[in-house]
């Protein structure tokens, strides 16, 4: 069994218009939500074997905040360029290339790519994943290389607004 958690980065700040999209930081709510969601994952016993993040500042910070709550070494987070504006196909190819020693993998990235990838992998539309939302997908497979469209089963979709007020 393989388990993939697609995690949309937490809420980002638009305060500094001079920053490039790639360099936008998290806002106050994002800095609150990411550790909260990490704590939920830890509570559920869903610590990762591997974490892969987009290189964008807001995604990396989300990954670091979640890692600190699930006991994952932030220096071991893999940065994958293709998660920043790479599209659905890039996410699916990244998943297919994962090392089979990893049973549970977190992928931290952006919409609409993550929402489209999640829908593709489970074979039904989930709509748009909210900021810091997590889609957990199970695959009854021994190898990530065998992941294909519709092969996954939705385990859960969770996000901060289910638990916290804005």
């Amino acid at each position: 069994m393989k388990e993939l958690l697609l995690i949309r980065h937490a809420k980002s700040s638009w305060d500094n218009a001079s920053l490039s999209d790639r360099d936008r930081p998290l806002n106050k709510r994002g800095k609150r939500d990411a550790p909260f969601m990490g704590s939920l994952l830890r509570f559920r016993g869903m610590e990762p074997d591997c974490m892969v993040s987009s290189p964008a500042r807001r995604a990396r910070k989300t990954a670091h905040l979640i890692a600190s709550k699930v006991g994952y070494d932030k220096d071991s987070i893999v940065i994958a360029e293709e998660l920043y504006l790479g599209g659905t196909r890039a996410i699916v190819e990244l998943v297919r290339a994962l090392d089979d020693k990893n049973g549970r993998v977190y992928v931290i990235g952006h919409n609409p790519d993550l929402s489209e990838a999640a829908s593709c992998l489970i074979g039904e539309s989930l709509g748009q994943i909210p900021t810091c939302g997590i889609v957990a997908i199970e695959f009854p497979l021994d190898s990530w290389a065998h992941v294909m469209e519709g092969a996954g089963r939705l385990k859960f979709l969770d996000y901060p607004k289910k638990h916290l007020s804005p």
Side-chain angles (χ1 to χ4, degrees):
M1 181 74 73
K2 300 294 183 193
E3 195 168 60
L4 176 67
L5 278 74
L6 297 174
I7 304 172
R8 183 178 174 192
H9 66 76
K11 192 80 173 155
S12 61
S13 173
W14 292 85
D15 289 345
N16 186 345
S18 69
L19 289 177
S20 71
D21 178 71
R22 190 179 179 114
D23 292 328
R24 284 191 294 115
L26 295 182
N27 70 11
K28 184 178 177 180
R29 193 172 99 204
K31 291 175 185 173
R32 175 200 71 178
D33 291 352
F36 175 79
M37 294 306 287
S39 294
L40 276 180
L41 290 170
R42 178 127 192 164
F43 177 76
R44 290 177 171 160
M46 298 186 73
E47 292 85 357
D49 298 312
C50 177
M51 289 181 74
V52 185
S53 175
S54 157
R57 182 178 176 186
R58 60 195 181 276
R60 286 184 290 118
K61 183 65 173 180
T62 300
H64 287 177
L65 291 169
I66 290 174
S68 71
K69 294 297 181 179
V70 297
Y72 190 85
D73 178 8
K74 68 180 174 107
D75 294 328
S76 296
I77 296 169
V78 176
I79 303 301
E81 191 66 39
E82 60 267 41
L83 290 176
Y84 184 70
L85 307 177
T88 302
R89 180 168 295 285
I91 293 171
V92 173
E93 291 304 316
L94 179 142
V95 170
R96 287 183 181 147
L98 290 168
D99 190 322
D100 288 331
K101 73 178 180 185
N102 300 310
R104 181 180 297 122
V105 177
Y106 294 4
V107 173
I108 299 92
H110 311 269
N111 264 359
D113 296 351
L114 281 182
S115 294
E116 291 169 3
S119 294
C120 170
L121 293 170
I122 65 169
E124 64 181 86
S125 178
L126 286 178
Q128 293 297 307
I129 301 169
T131 53
C132 212
I134 301 171
V135 176
I137 304 170
E138 292 179 326
F139 297 95
L141 306 166
D142 294 327
S143 176
W144 290 107
H146 298 130
V147 166
M148 63 181 156
E149 183 174 339
R153 182 185 74 79
L154 178 65
K155 187 170 182 176
F156 67 81
L157 166 61
D158 204 355
Y159 48 92
K161 285 187 178 179
K162 276 188 171 180
H163 309 277
L164 304 168
S165 60

